[in-house]
């Protein structure tokens, strides 16, 4: 039987009002890297998806730490776990079809019991609400980090979206949707630059330092 083509849906802006802020709850579990890797193994994650996820987690962690340094109410382990798990359903969707972000969000709630972590998984493709870092830092950090990693390399947003258009936009007729997502990501990048007081295109994410 021929495998289904992977889903590459890009959500339109939600007609619903923005959700309340997604706050860290210290009573809820937050898996560390080892536990996240165990989830990867349990769901038979492909090696290239794992490599991509780890790079995304490093960038999201950088953003969270920087936010914490500036006094923002951000829980670094929550952001990192969300980024580690953002593609938890990618391997399944490649093999069987389905929306990997929505499926992954549901799986993350089941695996972790933590909706704050799941928010970054569900919304790492497109954020349908207001770009408010104080209320929604975790999903916005994961979304941005994902758009800075092409396979397992850190790249500028332009290069990442060139690849997305080539792989999904042209063959699946999603070019306009992907360009909408690109514009959102560029707006988010400016917001992060201004809020975190850093040029994210001049950061050494591998070392976790500003350059």
């Amino acid at each position: 039987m021929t495998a289904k083509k992977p889903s590459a849906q890009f959500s339109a802006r939600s007609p619903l009002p923005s959700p309340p802020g997604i706050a860290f709850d210290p009573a809820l579990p937050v898996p560390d890297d080892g536990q996240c890797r165990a989830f990867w193994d349990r769901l038979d994650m492909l090696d290239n998806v794992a490599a991509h996820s780890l790079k995304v987690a490093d960038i999201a962690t950088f953003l969270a730490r920087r936010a914490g340094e500036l006094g923002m109410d951000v829980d670094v382990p929550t952001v990192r776990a969300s980024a580690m798990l953002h593609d938890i359903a990618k391997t399944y969707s490649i093999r069987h079809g389905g929306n990997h972000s929505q499926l992954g969000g549901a799986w993350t709630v089941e695996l972790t019991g933590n909706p704050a972590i799941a928010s970054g998984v569900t919304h790492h493709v497109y954020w349908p609400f207001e770009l408010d870092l104080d209320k929604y830092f975790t999903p916005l950090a994961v979304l941005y980090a994902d758009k800075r990693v092409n396979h397992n390399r850190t790249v500028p947003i332009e290069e990442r979206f060139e690849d997305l258009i080539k792989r999904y936009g042209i063959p699946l007729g999603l070019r306009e949707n992907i360009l909408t997502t690109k514009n959102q990501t560029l707006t988010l990048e400016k917001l992060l630059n201004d809020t975190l007081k850093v040029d994210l295109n001049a950061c050494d994410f591998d070392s976790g330092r500003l350059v």
Side-chain angles (χ1 to χ4, degrees):
M1 180 180 295
T2 303
K4 295 180 181 179
K5 187 174 291 183
S7 170
Q9 295 177 12
F10 287 75
S11 303
R13 179 167 293 278
S14 173
L16 299 175
S18 298
I22 300 169
F24 163 67
D25 184 344
L28 295 178
V30 178
D32 59 19
D33 280 20
Q35 291 169 307
C36 288
R37 288 176 183 272
F39 293 147
W40 294 356
D41 293 341
R42 178 175 168 184
L43 294 168
D44 198 23
M45 181 181 283
L46 293 167
D47 289 344
N48 63 307
V49 178
H52 169 81
S53 299
L54 186 58
K55 183 70 70 171
V56 170
D58 287 343
I59 294 176
T61 300
F62 175 96
L63 299 176
R65 286 174 176 162
R66 178 64 177 169
E69 290 171 0
L70 296 176
M72 296 180 67
D73 184 17
V74 173
D75 184 68
V76 176
T78 295
V79 174
R80 184 170 181 86
S82 187
M84 288 283 285
L85 298 177
H86 82 280
D87 268 351
I88 193 70
K90 185 71 170 181
T91 300
Y92 179 92
S93 72
I94 289 171
R95 292 171 173 164
H96 306 291
N99 186 309
H100 79 285
S101 57
Q102 293 180 12
L103 182 59
W107 285 0
T108 299
V109 170
E110 182 177 351
L111 290 167
T112 70
N114 192 324
I117 295 173
S119 71
V121 180
T122 301
H123 295 294
H124 78 270
V125 174
Y126 184 82
W127 178 249
F129 306 109
E130 59 185 317
L131 299 179
D132 187 330
L133 291 174
D134 288 324
K135 291 170 67 176
Y136 311 122
F137 191 91
T138 293
L140 292 175
V142 175
L143 184 153
Y144 177 76
D146 177 62
K147 301 306 182 293
R148 289 296 308 274
V149 179
N150 194 31
H151 303 297
N152 65 346
R153 295 187 304 111
T154 303
V155 298
I157 289 171
E158 292 285 346
E159 182 175 337
R160 173 73 158 121
F161 277 90
E162 285 176 6
D163 180 68
L164 288 173
I165 289 173
K166 186 181 302 181
R167 284 194 289 147
Y168 302 120
I170 296 173
L172 301 182
L174 292 170
R175 186 174 186 277
E176 292 305 314
N177 288 340
I178 293 174
L179 289 176
T180 297
T181 305
K182 175 184 174 181
N183 290 335
Q184 179 187 70
T185 307
L186 289 170
T187 300
L188 176 58
E189 181 172 67
K190 184 179 186 307
L191 178 62
L192 286 164
N193 282 340
D194 293 344
T195 303
L196 302 183
K197 299 178 174 55
V198 62
D199 179 0
L200 291 170
N201 285 296
C203 290
D204 180 3
F205 296 116
D206 291 330
S207 69
R209 294 182 291 103
L210 301 176
V211 295

